[in-house]
Amino acid sequence: MRPAPPLLAFAVASLGIAIFSSMDAVMKGLVLALGAYNALAWRTMAGIVVSGIPYLLSRPARPRRAAMRLHLIRAAVAAVMALLFFWGLARVPMAQAIALSFIAPILALFLAALILDERITRTAIVATGLAFGGVLLILWGQARAEMGHAALMGAIAILASACCYAWNIVLMRQQALIAGPAEIAFYQSLFVALAFLIGAPFLLEVPAIDHAPALIGAAVLATVSLFLLSWAYARAQANYLAPTEYTGFLWATMWGWLVFGEHVSFFTVAGAALIVGGCIIAAQRRDLAPVADTEAQLP
């Protein structure tokens, strides 16, 4: 694997988040139409095909045992995380859902230090604190509006999902050091789909054919995002890339307004400005990203 400048890894991770946020918009429409379980089950099954074609064409070697263990663990975490998040997303505006999920990078900083022995730098803390301040401002503004019971339950589900996502960020870094992006994307889709299929006899329904383009599109967006994030996390520390998660709020705001007509308040705009400021500060780090294990299957 060739080393990459830290800022390049930061930019690639940000692009991965942008694509993932676009997938969230597609999935919200599918969840409203099909329900969270069926939308996720059919998307991940489509993802097996979308990610499997490039992976199998590369004639991959058999995954290492350590990599397969991480694929299984992350898939289990991702299945719970996704079900909670998209169930909640159907009940709250996209911008609010993403804002609530921003607790994940905060937790990920400390999990990365605990699990990966990464150093938490002062710059990372300042950047994360500034971005988190933006999140608090947004939530304060939204708390002034009345929220029904469904929205409250959706918010609780998203916060629970965020706790899973914090672990997911750390697992993403661990995977990227011992497996290539194509392998990660394929096994993530395969194992998450298998996890959802456990409930198939009771919950799975065949969707109308007119939902197929959206399901395939969501699978493509999710796979491309996994490729980009895996590439970036193989070349930079998790605590350095975690603030890129905050850029997802900007995309969620845009898609929520364009697709679902969701209102964006002054507090949302002000909070977003703080979030962008935190990401800019995080991107000023000049230390070199660590290089992955030389045995990792990376391009």
Side-chain angles (χ1 to χ4, degrees):
M1 183 194 73
R2 290 176 295 179
L7 287 179
L8 178 58
F10 194 93
V12 170
S14 296
L15 178 59
I17 294 298
I19 293 173
F20 200 81
S21 298
S22 301
M23 185 272 295
D24 285 344
V26 177
M27 284 298 296
K28 177 165 183 171
L30 287 168
V31 169
L32 290 172
L34 305 176
Y37 172 82
N38 277 283
L40 283 165
W42 287 105
R43 190 209 77 187
T44 52
M45 285 189 281
I48 295 174
V49 177
V50 172
S51 61
I53 292 174
Y55 177 62
L56 296 176
L57 287 178
S58 68
R59 297 183 178 180
R62 183 176 179 179
R64 295 157 59 176
R65 184 173 181 179
M68 190 62 74
R69 176 177 174 273
L70 283 174
H71 295 331
L72 285 166
I73 294 174
R74 187 181 173 199
V77 173
V80 175
M81 174 188 76
L83 193 59
L84 287 170
F85 178 80
F86 287 111
W87 187 89
L89 183 62
R91 290 158 175 79
V92 299
M94 285 190 65
Q96 181 181 349
I98 298 301
L100 290 171
S101 71
F102 284 162
I103 191 176
I106 304 295
L107 297 176
L109 286 174
F110 299 97
L111 283 175
L114 179 65
I115 298 173
L116 303 179
D117 294 323
E118 292 186 0
R119 183 169 57 93
I120 301 177
T121 67
R122 181 176 299 178
T123 300
I125 292 174
V126 170
T128 302
L130 184 61
F132 189 59
V135 173
L136 292 178
L137 180 60
I138 293 164
L139 294 179
W140 181 69
Q142 292 176 338
R144 300 176 54 163
E146 294 183 1
M147 294 181 62
H149 179 72
L152 176 60
M153 296 306 296
I156 292 173
I158 289 168
L159 287 172
S161 174
C163 294
C164 295
Y165 192 57
W167 189 10
N168 180 73
I169 291 174
V170 177
L171 289 169
M172 194 187 313
R173 169 65 173 166
Q174 291 177 305
Q175 275 184 310
L177 292 177
I178 60 175
E183 178 184 319
I184 291 172
F186 172 69
Y187 282 103
Q188 176 86 349
S189 296
L190 177 63
F191 291 146
V192 172
L194 291 175
F196 282 128
L197 286 177
I198 293 174
F202 313 101
L203 300 172
L204 191 66
E205 298 176 357
V206 178
I209 191 65
D210 57 344
H211 292 303
L215 287 166
I216 295 171
V220 170
L221 291 172
T223 300
V224 172
S225 177
L226 276 171
F227 266 77
L228 293 173
L229 290 171
S230 297
W231 187 94
Y233 273 80
R235 291 161 174 82
Q237 291 187 357
N239 62 26
Y240 173 56
L241 296 179
T244 64
E245 301 289 333
Y246 294 120
T247 62
F249 174 79
L250 303 177
W251 296 103
T253 299
M254 182 186 75
W255 290 124
W257 175 58
L258 290 175
V259 179
F260 303 103
E262 296 170 351
H263 177 66
V264 180
S265 68
F266 165 78
F267 297 99
T268 298
V269 175
L274 289 176
I275 291 167
V276 172
C279 291
I280 291 174
I281 290 175
Q284 299 306 307
R285 280 181 54 178
R286 300 293 180 183
D287 53 320
L288 293 177
V291 178
D293 188 328
T294 56
E295 297 181 12
Q297 301 170 15
L298 292 169

